[in-house]
Amino acid sequence: MRPLSVQELLTVWERGLTARPFERALAILATASPERTTASVAQITIGRCEASLLTLREWAFGSELVFIAACPGCRQSLETRVQVDDLRPRVEHAPETAASVVLGDYEVRCRLPSLSDLLTCSSEDAEAGGRQLFTSCVIDARHNATPIAGDHLPDDVRRATEARMASMDPQADMRVALTCPDCSYHWSELFDVASFFWAEIDMWARRLLRDVDALARVYGWTERDVLALSPVRRQLYLAMALA
């Protein structure tokens, strides 16, 4: 995986305007990994997807993130600055990719969900999609040693299996610890790096295209000419063009 160029980021943004969230994530990762096929990139686990997107975001926009949330206690909006390293789990070994769960007379062998699994389930409603995602990750399920379908497991067995899967892939559940300065309420907020990164790409791309438009009108430059400028030189030309 390597950093994305300005032109690659713009291309990903353009193609992602009409795409679903997980399709955008796949497009970003596939563009940053030209040595791999898109199909192989789609097989990575959700945690690895999140970790890779976090690294690409750091390469593109820096190590600090501005996180905005509403306090559940007083509903006050607060802005918090978070470092990328604070979102990375402190693990000393590679995550497991498969595990077994035994609960009473039930035994389930499961694997971690992949980006491909999410793409398959993302068109479903939340409840149906969750069931489909869970079933797709059940490698084998048995009741009293008799094979059964994953979607026939009791709710308590399913919850135990989902908890085991979550513990296997901590990067898939990034959270930011927050404290409200007004009411001192403490809570943790889920951080969706794919949505956050896409929102930043969208704002950056629209701002960059406005810069291209302004400079093209004044100097007659093409988009390629403007994108070839360093950010510092581009801003200096913009300041002169708009003076």
Side-chain angles (χ1 to χ4, degrees):
M1 190 174 70
R2 56 163 176 74
L4 297 174
S5 68
V6 170
Q7 190 60 58
E8 286 172 332
L9 267 177
L10 279 175
T11 300
V12 165
W13 167 76
E14 183 178 2
R15 293 175 178 172
L17 288 172
T18 57
R20 296 175 297 172
F22 295 121
E23 292 172 335
R24 292 169 177 168
L26 178 57
I28 294 170
L29 293 172
T31 303
S33 304
E35 75 285 356
R36 302 179 60 182
T37 65
T38 300
S40 69
V41 173
Q43 296 307 311
I44 66 175
T45 64
I46 306 307
R48 186 177 172 191
C49 170
E50 295 284 287
S52 297
L53 289 173
L54 193 63
T55 297
L56 287 169
R57 190 273 169 199
E58 183 177 25
W59 288 343
F61 300 125
S63 60
E64 185 176 75
L65 305 94
V66 179
F67 188 83
I68 300 176
C71 172
C74 66
R75 306 312 303 172
Q76 178 68 30
S77 178
L78 68 149
E79 178 181 295
T80 301
R81 296 183 181 276
V82 181
Q83 296 299 313
V84 167
D85 282 344
D86 295 335
L87 294 170
R88 294 189 171 108
R90 301 295 185 258
V91 293
E92 298 179 355
H93 53 80
E96 304 170 81
T97 57
S100 294
V101 175
V102 178
L103 189 65
D105 298 329
Y106 291 88
E107 182 175 1
V108 182
R109 182 157 180 79
C110 60
R111 63 171 176 80
L112 290 176
S114 66
L115 184 55
S116 178
D117 293 321
L118 289 181
L119 289 166
T120 301
C121 302
S122 61
S123 61
E124 303 285 341
D125 64 78
E127 185 176 351
R131 289 196 302 269
Q132 183 181 352
L133 180 62
F134 173 78
T135 302
S136 67
C137 294
V138 173
I139 300 171
D140 182 63
R142 295 175 183 269
H143 180 223
N144 288 322
T146 301
I148 62 171
D151 56 358
H152 290 168
L153 291 168
D155 289 343
D156 59 338
V157 177
R158 175 181 167 177
R159 286 192 296 269
T161 305
E162 289 175 334
R164 182 70 181 91
M165 291 164 63
S167 69
M168 292 161 58
D169 199 15
Q171 187 73 70
D173 186 39
M174 293 188 201
R175 292 190 173 271
V176 179
L178 298 169
T179 300
C180 179
D182 291 340
C183 69
S184 299
Y185 189 90
H186 300 278
W187 81 102
S188 66
E189 191 89 9
L190 181 66
F191 179 72
D192 182 353
V193 62
S195 296
F196 187 93
F197 191 18
W198 174 257
E200 288 187 313
I201 291 174
D202 186 54
M203 289 187 292
W204 167 84
R206 294 177 189 276
R207 184 172 60 248
L208 182 58
L209 291 184
R210 286 194 295 268
D211 292 350
V212 170
D213 177 70
L215 293 175
R217 289 173 186 273
V218 174
Y219 297 107
W221 292 338
T222 65
E223 181 181 86
R224 182 183 297 274
D225 294 331
V226 176
L227 296 182
L229 296 170
S230 69
V232 173
R233 290 170 63 191
R234 186 165 63 245
Q235 291 306 310
L236 287 173
Y237 277 116
L238 274 171
M240 291 184 288
L242 301 175

